[in-house]
Amino acid sequence: MDIKMDKILLYKKAYRYLENLTPLKIDCGTLCNSACCSGSTDSGMLLFPEEEMLLSQENDWYTIIERDNLKLLVCNGHCPREHRPLACRIFPLLPYLNSDRATDFELQMDYRGNSVCPLVQHSSPKELDRFFHRKVQYLFNLLLQDSDIKKFVKMLSTEQDGIRRLIDG
Ligand code: SF4
Ligand code: SF4
């Protein structure tokens, strides 16, 4: 089914739903000195389709840059937690789709973080906090009903396949 939903409402729900969850019960930033928040100015967190509509234009902690028709939020390493984008809320998980059916999705560790995140390097999705895992799973059952988000997740999944091939050598 191809449903176009009100993305602002969807993302607001997603933000609220994942507001207080973290990948582990402990603060995993202590394992790695918060490596995933220490990107350089040319890296950033990919925004989901039209997610930028939710982000304020007036801020002093990020800029949004465009690359290959995608939008990246590049932050200064500190954010008001309640405003962090969806990609930060679900990392180190990645919704993965290997068919056109939204119901075929699964959660994988996000291999884009393989060089920085000890959880990506040493854990599987099921080893993360089960509430975190369950809520991300539930959320993408909903988000993937939106055709733009499904297309975006397919693109991420293709990228994931490429990184996996590189890791496996
Ligand atoms: S890099 Fe991984 S372990 Fe470190 S803070 Fe980010 S999610 Fe947690
Ligand atoms: S927006 Fe916040 S959570 Fe996301 S990378 Fe930047 S500091 Fe980290």
Side-chain angles (χ1 to χ4, degrees), residues 2-54:
D2 223 19
I3 304 174
K4 235 180 166 51
M5 291 198 253
D6 183 331
K7 290 191 186 47
I8 290 195
L9 285 180
L10 272 180
Y11 293 137
K12 277 188 176 165
K13 185 181 172 79
Y15 279 23
R16 223 174 26 248
Y17 204 62
L18 300 174
E19 186 62 55
N20 295 316
L21 287 175
T22 48
L24 298 181
K25 288 249 184 285
I26 59 159
D27 176 6
C28 57
T30 58
L31 304 174
C32 63
N33 206 14
S34 300
C36 56
C37 295
S38 314
S40 62
T41 48
D42 61 356
S43 64
M45 301 305 284
L46 265 187
L47 295 175
F48 279 69
E50 298 173 42
E51 189 183 357
E52 70 280 4
M53 290 190 300
L54 225 66

Side-chain angles (χ1 to χ4, degrees), residues 36-37 45 61 73 75 77-79 84-85 88:
C36 56
C37 295
M45 301 305 284
W61 60 276
L73 180 146
C75 71
H78 302 278
C79 65
R84 71 199 192 285
C88 300

Side-chain angles (χ1 to χ4, degrees), residues 2 6 8 30 33-34 40 65 72 77 82 94 104 113 118 131 134 144 149 161 166 168:
D2 223 19
D6 183 331
I8 290 195
T30 58
N33 206 14
S34 300
S40 62
I65 59 172
L72 286 121
E82 67 276 15
L94 177 97
D104 277 351
F131 291 110
R134 197 180 295 164
L144 284 168
I149 297 177
D161 289 339
L166 280 177
D168 292 347

Side-chain angles (χ1 to χ4, degrees), residues 27-163:
D27 176 6
C28 57
T30 58
L31 304 174
C32 63
N33 206 14
S34 300
C36 56
C37 295
S38 314
S40 62
T41 48
D42 61 356
S43 64
M45 301 305 284
L46 265 187
L47 295 175
F48 279 69
E50 298 173 42
E51 189 183 357
E52 70 280 4
M53 290 190 300
L54 225 66
L55 297 163
S56 158
Q57 298 308 308
E58 289 179 27
N59 70 83
D60 56 5
W61 60 276
Y62 68 81
T63 50
I64 293 178
I65 59 172
E66 254 189 84
R67 189 182 303 152
D68 302 330
N69 291 323
L70 296 169
K71 292 193 168 63
L72 286 121
L73 180 146
V74 181
C75 71
N76 64 10
H78 302 278
C79 65
R81 193 174 160 75
E82 67 276 15
H83 294 307
R84 71 199 192 285
L86 185 55
C88 300
R89 292 171 198 249
I90 66 172
F91 188 78
L93 289 176
L94 177 97
Y96 179 87
L97 258 183
N98 63 3
S99 84
D100 285 329
R101 287 202 307 269
T103 48
D104 277 351
F105 100 95
E106 63 176 17
L107 293 177
Q108 297 187 351
M109 300 309 285
D110 188 338
Y111 294 144
R112 290 172 302 176
N114 192 50
S115 60
V116 294
C117 177
L119 298 180
V120 175
Q121 290 155 1
H122 303 297
S123 307
S124 66
K126 289 277 170 67
E127 290 173 296
L128 302 181
D129 177 64
R130 69 192 161 102
F131 291 110
F132 175 72
H133 182 276
R134 197 180 295 164
K135 285 210 164 185
V136 177
Q137 177 99 26
Y138 170 86
L139 195 64
F140 276 93
N141 275 323
L142 177 67
L143 294 181
L144 284 168
Q145 291 177 45
D146 179 278
S147 53
D148 296 331
I149 297 177
K150 190 169 86 169
K151 199 165 145 203
F152 179 75
V153 167
K154 279 281 279 182
M155 183 275 298
L156 294 179
S157 305
T158 303
E159 192 184 358
Q160 172 92 333
D161 289 339
I163 301 172

